[in-house]
Amino acid sequence: MKNHRRLLVALVFNLLIINGCKTGSEPPEPERFAAFQDVPEWSKNVVWYQIFVERFRNGDPTNDPTAEDIVGNFSTYIPENWSITPWGQDWYKPDVWFSELHGKEMLAGYPIEEFGHKAQLRRYGGDLQGVLDKMDYLEELGISAVYFNPLNDAPSLHKYDPRHWRHIDRNFGPNPKEDANIMAAEIPSDPTTWKFTNADQIFLKVIEEFHKRGIKVILDYSWNHTGKNFWALKDIAEKGERSDFIDWYDIQSFDDPSTPENEFEYKAWSGVPSLPEIKEDVEADHSVVKAYEGDLYSETARQHIFNVSKRWLDPNGDGKPDDGVDGFRLDVAGEIGLGFWRAYRKVVREVNPDAYLLGEIWWEKWPDQLLNPKPYLEGDVFDAVMNYRWYRATRHFFNESPNKIPVSEWVDSLQSFTSDLRKQNTYAMMNLTASHDVPRFATSIFNKNKYKVGTNPYEGNDYKIHKPDAATYEIMKLMLVQQFTYIGSPHIWAGDEMGMWGGDDPNCRKPLIWKDLEFEPETHHQMDGFTRPRDEVEFNEQLFAFYKKLIEIRKKNPVLALGDIEYLIIDDQRELLAYSRFDENEEIIVVFNTNKETQEVTIPVKIEKMYSDILSQTTIKQTDQGISIVMKPNSVVVLK
């Protein structure tokens, strides 16, 4: 009966959205429903910067994690001499406590042997004071929106395994012990008992300071799963079927107190015991991810999620969301039913009608099929998704990864990605080249493997982990120009603008290389018996300046964010591409010569004026046929 009631509620809700639920003070239906469906206008015109706080900056050494703080992460064992890792240590150099881990087990029962396993226990002490300390740097770079990886109070470095959703991690604020006591004194299921911890308050300060600078802030959550130490699961483990939260999880067996083993088992995301899944009202096979109708099983779990979301959208509860986050990035979004997401959008937009909802819609089936986000972008679920499809195709074209493709094939891919989506959603996309879940941009380009395949030497390949060569950075620049002149908002994974390198997780999560800190050169390899070049770890001033210039160009030319696009040249034989970003008053033309030869290119124009290359400030002369320009091999011009 419970599922029948939920289906009836969902049907009524959808009818209200479609037909209008007109109460006295609401605007007319077409206007109200359009506002609900529309993407926030600001999301089309920002440059994103993604911050992974634990590796961003250690601004307050007094709050550094202790061994007690990380109990409950993926490992069954914390080394006796565990300590945080020095910020500037050679990344692959073993910590003194690594030897204690060898042969110990992960929660899933596998032995801890590889560098990547051991590095998951590292902490560097990054915190929110470090973010406050570097706001001037971010303002100088020019970014206009920040996406925070999860800030949940959690034992892991990635924070997708929360002890509490409602609080910021105790070690990201100034008084971890006091914050732990504040949390323990609350009734987690009762929002009237919730307080703001010291870490919560410094996060509110971070939001305030970013907003003063005109920078938007979104926060990452995974409503698909919690951590094994999450308060509701601990209540179930203690009380069994008497727990008020028994319907939050799919409990498969309870502990038998008469045996030495702990038989308490539950369904977990991808079988990872440290990530217990929130129970849904349908059984979905996620070996192939598809959009599906469904919701969370527990109404109290839903309401808790809604309450946590409202807490950060409007922290002081005064009905004015200016003191809260500007939206959410939603992890593993394809593995939660559409019914939940529709209800979630309604809750979020009631608090902040201008809030942005970004879904992690990624794999349909790894390693070849990326999921078409259309079902999530029809006005009732998300405003945009992380645009992995754009990056994979663009990397394939510019970097011949894993092979060379014609210009026309790449353009066909880009056009196919937008052909069945609403125009406004394509303009709100987050176009990313890297993140916490994939190799760093430079390393991704340095290696010409298939996207997200073979990105670790443990897989028995020759994946290059050392500093990329000069040719790699030149290809990166071509791709960056395309990213910053294309439809959708550009995204920067913190540190890419510094020239950082590193393979897939955990190697894409090195601590940032700030200029005022000293770093050991990288000389160690992650695999015993392997050698690598010695690489100095230094801030790349030239690359930073290039990012800064592209951000400035995009900001000064709104047509690059909001204008239409038309492909002017698609020449497979000469390996030339040109497209126009234009509106009724302005035109910017982007031309790529991906040939290995110098070529003269003639480009038709819409506006008959003198054009200059705003990357190099070179004036380009026009002929009767259009603009004529001689282009070097593997080069780009941006003509205004």
Side-chain angles (χ1 to χ4, degrees):
M1 285 298 293
K2 181 168 185 175
N3 286 349
H4 289 298
R5 287 197 300 272
R6 186 177 297 288
L7 289 171
L8 180 60
V9 170
L11 176 61
V12 171
F13 171 74
N14 288 334
L15 288 172
L16 290 175
I17 290 296
I18 294 169
N19 296 319
C21 180
K22 298 180 176 64
T23 59
S25 62
E26 290 177 341
E29 165 55 25
E31 178 185 342
R32 186 172 68 86
F33 188 40
F36 177 81
Q37 285 187 314
D38 287 346
V39 307
E41 197 63 28
W42 63 263
S43 66
K44 304 175 186 176
N45 202 24
V46 292
V47 175
W48 290 100
Y49 192 85
Q50 180 183 346
I51 295 178
F52 194 95
V53 169
E54 215 286 315
R55 302 295 161 83
F56 185 75
R57 174 88 175 184
N58 189 345
D60 180 4
T62 68
N63 63 15
D64 288 350
T66 65
E68 182 183 1
D69 292 318
I70 66 172
V71 171
N73 67 85
F74 82 103
S75 173
T76 60
Y77 177 79
I78 307 296
E80 290 185 8
N81 63 341
W82 183 92
S83 62
I84 70 165
T85 304
W87 199 272
Q89 177 178 299
D90 178 357
W91 173 253
Y92 292 112
K93 179 180 176 182
D95 291 64
V96 294
W97 44 265
F98 268 25
S99 59
E100 282 189 56
L101 282 170
H102 195 74
K104 296 294 191 294
E105 287 190 346
M106 296 183 272
L107 286 175
Y110 302 110
I112 299 174
E113 296 175 341
E114 301 174 358
F115 169 84
H117 298 155
K118 298 172 184 178
Q120 296 291 349
L121 274 184
R122 277 182 174 170
R123 300 294 181 274
Y124 287 83
D127 50 39
L128 289 170
Q129 184 58 52
V131 177
L132 288 171
D133 292 346
K134 286 300 178 180
M135 285 204 172
D136 288 346
Y137 166 87
L138 296 175
E139 192 170 22
E140 179 192 355
L141 178 60
I143 58 100
S144 46
V146 167
Y147 147 35
F148 277 106
N149 277 109
L151 303 181
N152 302 308
D153 184 62
S156 71
L157 74 142
H158 55 70
K159 308 303 175 190
Y160 288 102
D161 58 339
R163 293 174 286 236
H164 308 280
W165 273 327
R166 68 193 187 278
H167 287 297
I168 302 302
D169 189 82
R170 61 194 66 179
N171 297 110
F172 289 165
N175 198 328
K177 289 186 177 179
E178 183 177 322
D179 285 359
N181 292 333
I182 292 172
M183 296 178 212
E186 298 172 335
I187 301 172
S189 59
D190 182 0
T192 65
T193 71
W194 297 355
K195 309 295 183 186
F196 282 107
T197 64
N198 295 280
D200 295 341
Q201 291 178 43
I202 196 170
F203 179 54
L204 296 179
K205 178 67 173 176
V206 166
I207 296 172
E208 179 185 6
E209 291 300 319
F210 273 130
H211 283 176
K212 283 180 182 177
R213 292 166 166 79
I215 295 171
K216 300 287 187 180
V217 177
I218 68 169
L219 185 53
D220 195 346
Y221 270 108
S222 177
W223 307 127
N224 172 269
H225 51 259
T226 67
K228 66 184 292 287
N229 285 350
F230 192 76
W231 61 269
L233 190 68
K234 289 177 69 176
D235 190 87
I236 297 170
E238 178 185 341
K239 300 176 182 176
E241 295 188 28
R242 295 180 292 107
S243 171
D244 291 337
F245 313 105
I246 190 68
D247 63 347
W248 281 40
Y249 300 89
D250 187 350
I251 306 300
Q252 296 168 344
S253 64
F254 293 98
D255 181 39
D256 181 353
S258 67
T259 68
E261 296 81 21
N262 185 352
E263 293 90 356
F264 185 50
E265 292 187 3
Y266 41 79
K267 184 180 178 183
W269 179 76
S270 291
V272 179
S274 59
L275 300 174
E277 273 196 326
I278 298 295
K279 187 176 181 179
E280 294 190 67
D281 63 3
V282 294
E283 286 288 335
D285 177 11
H286 297 315
S287 61
V288 178
V289 179
K290 300 280 189 182
Y292 61 99
E293 292 298 334
D295 205 332
L296 301 188
Y297 184 83
S298 169
E299 183 58 33
T300 58
R302 274 169 42 106
Q303 289 305 318
H304 183 72
I305 289 168
F306 296 162
N307 288 331
V308 171
S309 300
K310 288 187 281 189
R311 172 181 174 83
W312 293 118
L313 287 164
D314 184 10
N316 64 9
D318 66 352
K320 300 175 183 178
D322 54 302
D323 57 333
V325 297
D326 301 289
F328 298 102
R329 183 265 188 185
L330 300 157
D331 187 66
V332 200
E335 297 183 30
I336 298 180
L338 293 172
F340 171 80
W341 290 127
R342 294 189 189 103
Y344 188 73
R345 182 177 184 86
K346 185 173 185 291
V347 168
V348 168
R349 287 299 187 90
E350 282 177 347
V351 179
N352 183 355
D354 211 29
Y356 175 71
L357 293 178
L358 174 75
E360 185 206 29
I361 302 299
W362 198 354
W363 296 102
E364 179 175 337
K365 188 172 184 179
W366 188 85
D368 295 314
Q369 296 168 250
L370 294 178
L371 191 59
N372 184 341
K374 184 179 188 300
Y376 303 91
L377 299 177
E378 298 188 321
D380 59 346
V381 179
F382 305 136
D383 298 299
V385 301
M386 302 178 77
N387 203 356
Y388 300 106
R389 297 195 299 173
W390 164 80
Y391 177 63
R392 184 172 71 166
T394 302
R395 176 179 179 269
H396 196 167
F397 173 67
F398 281 104
N399 201 50
E400 302 179 11
S401 305
N403 57 279
K404 188 178 182 64
I405 60 172
V407 179
S408 59
E409 183 176 334
W410 175 52
V411 173
D412 283 347
S413 295
L414 297 184
Q415 292 179 317
S416 72
F417 299 155
T418 60
S419 62
D420 60 350
L421 302 180
R422 303 186 311 158
K423 183 176 179 179
Q424 60 176 296
N425 296 105
T426 65
Y427 280 72
M429 288 289 196
M430 179 186 277
N431 292 344
L432 71 166
T433 55
S435 77
H436 63 292
D437 278 334
V438 294
R440 280 210 171 267
F441 187 20
T443 297
S444 175
I445 300 307
F446 194 30
N447 292 273
K448 295 186 182 293
N449 55 304
K450 185 185 287 189
Y451 174 66
K452 190 66 176 169
V453 175
T455 54
N456 190 316
Y458 286 118
E459 298 176 30
N461 57 37
D462 57 355
Y463 196 78
K464 294 175 284 192
I465 65 169
H466 55 281
K467 182 178 180 179
D469 56 20
T472 293
Y473 288 101
E474 292 307 308
I475 295 294
M476 285 175 63
K477 289 178 181 178
L478 289 180
M479 291 181 63
L480 285 169
V481 172
Q482 204 280 326
Q483 180 189 24
F484 277 80
T485 59
Y486 186 59
I487 292 170
S489 294
H491 161 285
I492 303 166
W493 167 227
D496 278 353
E497 84 284 2
M498 301 175 175
M500 292 181 67
W501 63 87
D504 215 341
D505 174 25
N507 307 308
C508 54
R509 303 177 182 183
K510 299 176 184 178
L512 299 196
I513 52 174
W514 297 108
K515 287 185 281 187
D516 63 331
L517 302 179
E518 293 186 4
F519 290 82
E520 296 176 355
E522 284 193 7
T523 59
H524 290 75
H525 198 285
Q526 69 188 95
M527 295 177 67
D528 294 338
F530 282 67
T531 60
R532 42 104 26 104
R534 172 191 173 98
D535 291 314
E536 300 298 327
V537 179
E538 299 171 325
F539 189 98
N540 189 325
E541 297 278 9
Q542 184 186 43
L543 188 61
F544 174 85
F546 192 75
Y547 270 93
K548 183 177 176 180
K549 184 176 185 65
L550 289 177
I551 294 171
E552 182 182 12
I553 287 172
R554 190 167 175 100
K555 281 186 171 181
K556 287 183 176 179
N557 298 280
V559 72
L560 291 175
L562 305 175
D564 289 326
I565 187 167
E566 179 182 345
Y567 293 94
L568 306 175
I569 299 174
I570 303 172
D571 189 330
D572 289 341
Q573 184 175 358
R574 299 179 67 198
E575 299 175 289
L576 295 172
L577 171 74
Y579 54 80
S580 168
R581 299 299 312 279
F582 66 95
D583 57 28
E584 59 185 12
N585 299 313
E586 187 176 6
E587 179 182 36
I588 289 181
I589 299 171
V590 188
V591 190
F592 294 94
N593 175 22
T594 61
N595 199 300
K596 293 180 173 58
E597 304 293 334
T598 297
Q599 300 189 90
E600 184 172 0
V601 187
T602 300
I603 308 114
V605 298
K606 295 183 179 299
I607 299 174
E608 294 185 5
K609 294 181 179 179
M610 190 70 73
Y611 283 74
S612 64
D613 178 7
I614 53 179
L615 275 178
S616 65
Q617 299 300 315
T618 301
T619 299
I620 311 298
K621 291 187 177 180
Q622 286 187 227
T623 68
D624 293 340
Q625 289 76 39
I627 296 172
S628 183
I629 183 170
V630 175
M631 296 187 66
K632 296 177 181 178
N634 275 327
S635 65
V636 59
V637 294
V638 181
L639 305 173
K640 179 179 179 180

